[in-house]
Amino acid sequence: MALTVALQRDVLHVYRDLGKMYGEPKFLQRYQAYVEKVTGANVQLVESLSRDYDKPEFGLQFTEIEGHKVPVREEIAASKPFGNLLHFQRDTDRNDPKFLLVAPQSGHYATLLRPTVERLMQEGDVYITDWLNARDVPTEAGQFDLDTYADYVREFTELLGPEVNVLAICQSTVPSVMAISRIAEENPEKQPATLTVMAGPLDPGAAPTEVTKLADKMHLPSYLRTFITEAPNGRKVYPGYVQLMSFIAMNPKNHFSSHRELYNHYVADDTHPDVVRIERFYREYFAVADLTAEFYADTVKRVFINKELAKGTMTYNGRPVNPEAITCPIIGIEGAMDDISAPGQTRDFLDRFTGSSDVSFYEQAHAGHYGVFAGGHWRRDIAPRILDKVHEVFKAKGLEFTKPQNETIPVEPYQPVVAA
C-alpha cells in the first residue's frame, strides 16, 4: 500500500517537472504544489502505519546530576533465555538507592519505561528487566509462563540483594507479588527493601474496564485457536501486533486524532514540535514483541478470568501464593483516569498485605495508565513520593544515602475503603 501511494507521488513529481519545463499557469503550479504535499503526507503516514518497527534502544547515554551531564552506560547484569537484567551504570560518586524496575510483558518492549528509568536515574541506581521478543527465543530454551516470569523476578531480586527497591508496573505486579511472597516465606531476610505496585491488575474485578469485560466473556480456547501462531523457529506465540490492535481498539478516537494531527502537519510541511513528539511516541508504541503462547494463556486465564490472586487461589510452582507473608514496606500507586488498570484494581488488593506494618497509597489525579510511569505526573508527583518513602525506610534502619537532588514528597499511609 505504501508503495502504491509513493508511486502516485512520484508520478505527480514528473508532471510538476514537465510543467516547469514547458510552461504552466501559476494557479496550476500552486495547485500542483498542494497536491504534492498531500500525496507526500499520504506516503509518510501510510509508511509509518505499515512499517515493521525494530526493538527501540533506550538511548539513555546521559543523566543530569546536580546540574551536570553524567555519562551512563548499559550493562547486562544477568542474562537469561527470555530476558536480561539491564543496569544503567552512571559515572558518579553518588550513593543512591538501588531500584529494580519490573517491566510488563504485554506486547511492548521494556523501552516503553524509558521515561521511568530517565527520572529515577537522577537519584537512583536503576536496573530493569529487559524482556526479549518470544519469537526470537529458541524452542530449546523451554517454556515461559506466569510461574517462569515470577522465577525471573525472584532470581533478579535475590541477585540485587535486600537493599533493592522493586517497582512493578502494570501486568508485572502480579508475578512480582508471587515472587516476593515466596521470598518472604522462604527467606524473609532476602525480601526487597520496599515493593511498589503501580497500576496493575492485582484485583481486576474491583473496577471493570474494557480489558476485564473482554476477559469475562472470552471463550479462551477459541480465542487461542484464532490468534496463536507459530514463529519461524517453531515456538508458539501470541503476536504482538494482535495485542497492539487490542490496545488501539480501547482508545480509537485518541489514536485517530493523533494521526490526523500528524497528517495535517505533514500537509502544512511545517516543523511543529508536536510532529517530533507524536512520531517518537508511535515509534515506541508500534514496536511490539510477541509473547509465548503459554504465558499469554496463563495470564488471561489465571489473572483476568479466574482472578486467582484476588481470590486467594493463586499458586506459584504448585504452592499457594501468600501476599500476607510480605513484611517489607509496600507502596501502591494508581492513576485516577486509568482505563486499563482502573482505580481500585491495585488499591483494593493492598488489604491483602497484612504482614506489612507500612503500607502506603497514592492516587494521581488526572493521570491515565501511561501517566503513572511517564510524563509530568510521574516526574513531578509520583517519583518524588516513591523516593521519599525509600529514603524514610533506609533512614529508619540507620542507613542513609546521598540526599535527593530534587524535592521529595511524603506519601500517605494506606486507608482501607470502608463500604457504605
Side-chain angles (χ1 to χ4, degrees):
M1 184 176 177
L3 183 61
T4 301
V5 176
L7 183 60
Q8 293 172 350
R9 177 199 59 190
D10 293 342
V11 169
L12 284 169
H13 284 176
V14 172
Y15 283 130
R16 176 201 62 190
D17 294 340
L18 287 173
K20 288 180 179 179
M21 184 180 301
Y22 295 106
E24 190 174 61
K26 292 293 184 183
F27 80 90
L28 284 179
Q29 291 181 20
R30 288 194 293 269
Y31 176 73
Q32 182 75 27
Y34 172 75
V35 172
E36 284 182 23
K37 287 184 178 180
V38 170
T39 56
N42 291 341
V43 171
Q44 287 179 279
L45 192 62
V46 171
E47 191 274 335
S48 69
L49 292 172
S50 57
R51 179 196 315 166
D52 283 333
Y53 289 82
D54 294 329
K55 179 184 177 183
E57 299 291 333
F58 276 98
L60 298 173
Q61 299 177 348
F62 297 94
T63 187
E64 186 173 314
I65 294 179
E66 297 170 356
H68 300 287
K69 287 178 67 175
V70 173
V72 175
R73 69 178 185 275
E74 296 178 16
E75 296 179 342
I76 296 178
S79 181
K80 302 278 289 180
F82 289 90
N84 300 317
L85 178 62
L86 195 61
H87 182 209
F88 296 91
Q89 180 67 51
R90 306 166 302 160
D91 187 9
T92 180
D93 294 328
R94 284 183 63 92
N95 178 29
D96 286 322
K98 190 183 299 182
F99 290 92
L100 169 59
L101 290 178
V102 186
Q105 274 210 44
S106 53
H108 288 107
Y109 291 100
T111 50
L112 195 67
L113 302 187
R114 185 185 295 104
T116 323
V117 176
E118 191 171 21
R119 174 63 179 87
L120 283 179
M121 273 201 309
Q122 297 174 3
E123 296 156 310
D125 186 16
V126 182
Y127 295 75
I128 193 170
T129 56
D130 189 20
W131 305 111
L132 302 182
N133 191 333
R135 68 168 46 241
D136 297 330
V137 180
T139 54
E140 291 78 16
Q143 291 199 326
F144 184 97
D145 57 16
L146 196 59
D147 285 5
T148 317
Y149 192 129
D151 287 340
Y152 275 48
V153 176
R154 178 176 182 175
E155 181 176 336
F156 292 158
T157 300
E158 292 181 336
L159 175 66
L160 296 176
E163 71 277 7
V164 71
N165 300 276
V166 175
L167 268 71
I169 298 173
C170 187
Q171 170 271 330
S172 74
T173 56
V174 174
S176 294
V177 168
M178 294 165 62
I180 306 306
S181 297
R182 188 56 47 83
I183 293 174
E185 283 187 298
E186 297 183 351
N187 302 103
E189 71 283 355
K190 292 185 178 182
Q191 291 179 81
T194 64
L195 169 62
T196 299
V197 285
M198 304 174 64
L202 295 171
D203 185 357
T209 64
E210 292 302 318
V211 176
T212 63
K213 291 175 184 176
L214 175 63
D216 288 340
K217 63 184 180 183
M218 176 187 290
H219 183 254
L220 187 58
S222 298
Y223 192 86
L224 296 178
R225 283 196 299 270
T226 302
F227 291 109
I228 295 300
T229 187
E230 187 174 293
N233 64 2
R235 179 174 294 281
K236 299 290 186 180
V237 297
Y238 179 74
Y241 72 83
V242 177
Q243 187 77 336
L244 176 64
M245 292 302 102
S246 300
F247 286 140
I248 291 175
M250 286 191 290
N251 287 293
K253 291 183 179 179
N254 290 345
H255 292 291
F256 178 79
S257 177
S258 294
H259 282 89
R260 181 176 58 190
E261 180 183 353
L262 188 62
Y263 180 80
N264 289 337
H265 286 308
Y266 286 156
V267 173
D269 197 24
D270 61 21
T271 55
H272 196 283
D274 280 352
V275 172
V276 176
R277 176 184 61 81
I278 297 172
E279 286 182 335
R280 182 170 57 236
F281 173 81
Y282 280 103
R283 276 198 301 271
E284 189 75 53
Y285 196 70
F286 287 161
V288 292
D290 295 349
L291 311 175
T292 66
E294 61 274 14
F295 171 75
Y296 178 78
D298 222 13
T299 300
V300 173
K301 181 179 180 180
R302 298 170 65 188
V303 176
F304 291 101
I305 296 178
N306 295 344
K307 303 175 180 61
E308 293 178 9
L309 192 60
K311 292 180 178 179
T313 58
M314 178 71 79
T315 60
Y316 169 30
N317 289 338
R319 291 167 47 200
V321 173
N322 297 309
E324 300 82 0
I326 300 176
T327 57
C328 70
I330 294 167
I331 309 167
I333 304 289
E334 287 187 330
M337 300 177 66
D338 191 340
D339 58 356
I340 294 178
S341 295
Q345 292 191 15
T346 297
R347 181 196 62 224
D348 288 9
F349 191 81
L350 297 180
D351 290 330
R352 295 288 305 279
F353 295 117
T354 56
S356 175
S357 60
D358 187 354
V359 181
S360 307
F361 176 72
Y362 176 66
E363 181 180 276
Q364 177 61 56
H366 311 298
H369 189 69
Y370 295 101
V372 170
F373 56 85
H377 290 309
W378 157 248
R379 293 192 304 271
R380 296 188 302 267
D381 302 311
I382 297 174
R385 284 176 165 82
I386 294 173
L387 287 163
D388 188 88
K389 173 55 71 173
V390 166
H391 280 269
E392 176 191 310
V393 168
F394 280 106
K395 188 174 182 179
K397 295 179 179 179
L399 303 171
E400 293 199 38
F401 293 95
T402 304
K403 182 180 178 181
Q405 59 178 340
N406 299 300
E407 185 177 354
T408 61
I409 306 171
V411 59
E412 296 294 325
Y414 167 62
Q415 300 293 337
V417 177
V418 179

